[in-house]
Amino acid sequence: MALSDNTGQPDDASFRHLCANAGVGIIAANASLEITYWNAAASRLLGASYDSMIGQQVTAIVPAGRRDVAYRLLSRALQSGEISEFEFDHYDPQGQKIELAVTISPLLDHE
């Protein structure tokens, strides 16, 4: 359960807490596709620390053979606000295969 302001929306502190403690990996990137947020679950799932990923291109987590699809979906999200789903296999630092399902969604400023 999240605390919310009088609009029914989580306040900023509650939203940050939800993202930081979510059981799913949450990664945010800016319009240049540089990672700006990486939660603890993303670190556990992908085997990379927050410090090592901030500023990296978000496509760095996508296998080379699937990056063209990722770029296309990311571009579409930035241009039209379209939400897309994308699946790929990721290999952690120990070589274990992890099947990932990713939702690409733009964060829109509604102010």
Side-chain angles (χ1 to χ4, degrees), residues 10-22:
D11 61 32
D12 287 345
S14 295
F15 186 73
R16 284 192 302 273
H17 180 78
L18 286 168
C19 289
N21 295 290

Side-chain angles (χ1 to χ4, degrees), residues 60-84:
I61 66 168
V62 179
R66 301 280 287 155
R67 286 189 185 145
D68 58 332
V69 175
Y71 275 120
R72 188 171 59 250
L73 295 175
L74 290 162
S75 294
R76 197 177 305 156
L78 288 171
Q79 293 170 1
S80 69
E82 182 177 320
I83 297 171
S84 302

